[in-house]
Amino acid sequence: MKVIVCKDYEEMSWQALEIIKQELLKRPDSLVSFPGGDTPLGTIKKFVSAVNCGDIKIDRAKFVSLDEWVGLGKEVYGSCQYFLNESLFKPLKYSFAETFIINGAADDIEQEREAHEKFVEKYGPIAVSLLGIGLNGHIGFNEDGVDFSLNTHITPLSEKTKEVMGKYFNTEHKLTHGITLGINQIMEANVVIVIANGSHKAQIVREALQGEVTNRVPASILQNHPNCYFVLDQTAASNL
Ligand code: F6R
């Protein structure tokens, strides 16, 4: 595990972009996966600028979304799909060769799960998996207690996730489940990048990096990944 401590959010976003860029330079036809949430916005903005000015080429690359709230479609502010459309796909001047964005409002969510898994099987393993980390140590919706051997799956949201989800959207949505790339697929990725900023992440970042490897802190499994970066701002790294 490589830990990169950055002076602030801006530098964290640059560092993450640089790793993504190097991977795409080496493997221009590879599969990349980005999350939703607050943390990746800076990295994604920089990614869009780099693509739009020709620094990064995506015409042969494939994109798969990391996760989604079951029940939320692309029109719902706060859904991962809404976030990716607004921050990534709309401002991009070029298109990925193929994309799979999970539709949390699919009539048949099991079929959606299968299609996501098949997409990763077809174009994977993932070359770059960009991740945020939740306050319970979740990555994607791999919640505490997750089975590390799972691929794409549908899972009940943890109490912690339910507590914080109000920051993304109106809690009028009665959400109970998430759909997510599994730990097995994340562990198969060539490069994993976890980005975290803010003092509220300091405790869980310490547990993930320096605590025991346990499914009570799902991100701790990344200690066993051969090519994983934790890119942190100073405050998220302050307990290390
Ligand atoms: C979002 C996701 C989650 C978030 C995590 C951190 O697609 O997969 O695991 O990355 O909850 O969220 P933020 O970045 O909002 O602090």
Side-chain angles (χ1 to χ4, degrees):
M1 195 113 72
K2 303 162 194 88
V3 180
I4 302 176
V5 180
C6 305
K7 78 171 186 301
D8 55 17
Y9 179 80
E10 179 71 6
E11 192 184 309
M12 178 202 82
S13 305
W14 276 122
Q15 287 285 349
L17 176 76
E18 195 48 39
I19 302 165
I20 296 167
K21 184 175 158 184
Q22 290 312 321
E23 267 315 293
L24 278 170
L25 273 175
K26 274 189 259 165
R27 299 181 179 77
D29 58 350
S30 62
L31 177 62
V32 298
S33 175
F34 293 171
D38 294 335
T39 320
L41 192 59
T43 307
I44 292 177
K45 271 193 182 152
K46 293 179 194 320
F47 179 83
V48 167
S49 305
V51 172
N52 286 351
C53 75
D55 256 11
I56 296 181
K57 301 256 182 286
I58 58 167
D59 54 318
R60 291 166 57 204
K62 290 97 191 169
F63 181 92
V64 67
S65 65
L66 170 67
D67 57 1
E68 186 56 282
W69 307 90
V70 171
L72 297 192
K74 63 170 188 272
E75 71 293 341
V76 181
Y77 178 87
S79 69
C80 298
Q81 195 174 3
Y82 183 97
F83 169 82
L84 289 170
N85 278 337
E86 295 303 314
S87 63
L88 179 65
F89 295 110
K90 285 189 187 168
L92 271 178
K93 284 203 260 166
Y94 305 94
S95 301
F96 286 97
E98 297 282 346
T99 53
F100 189 103
I101 314 300
I102 302 170
N103 175 13
D107 288 338
D108 187 339
I109 197 70
E110 172 53 26
Q111 208 174 65
E112 189 70 5
R113 184 204 67 73
E114 243 176 69
H116 183 266
E117 187 170 85
K118 286 219 172 91
F119 187 87
V120 177
E121 238 169 66
K122 180 169 179 191
Y123 295 113
I126 293 170
V128 189
S129 171
L130 179 68
L131 302 168
I133 181 170
L135 294 176
N136 61 344
H138 76 193
I139 45 179
F141 280 129
N142 290 281
E143 298 283 30
D144 35 302
V146 68
D147 176 345
F148 285 153
S149 69
L150 290 178
N151 285 329
T152 307
H153 61 282
I154 295 159
T155 177
L157 300 173
S158 68
E159 287 314 309
K160 184 50 96 183
T161 300
K162 286 185 189 159
E163 225 177 277
V164 300
M165 68 188 186
K167 73 171 179 158
Y168 303 117
F169 41 69
N170 198 318
T171 41
E172 79 194 15
H173 304 293
K174 297 276 174 268
L175 303 178
T176 56
H177 287 73
I179 173 169
T180 185
L181 194 73
I183 296 286
N184 187 50
Q185 293 149 312
I186 293 171
M187 290 303 281
E188 283 178 352
N190 190 45
V191 180
V192 175
I193 309 165
V194 179
I195 44 178
N197 66 295
S199 54
H200 61 303
K201 295 281 173 81
Q203 175 61 20
I204 197 64
V205 161
R206 195 186 67 75
E207 286 178 43
L209 280 168
Q210 296 175 335
E212 63 167 318
V213 174
T214 165
N215 66 358
R216 289 193 306 280
V217 181
S220 64
I221 188 65
L222 297 171
Q223 291 178 30
N224 295 341
H225 192 283
N227 203 8
C228 174
Y229 295 83
F230 268 64
V231 185
L232 311 168
D233 80 344
Q234 272 177 14
T235 55
S238 59
N239 272 6
L240 297 178

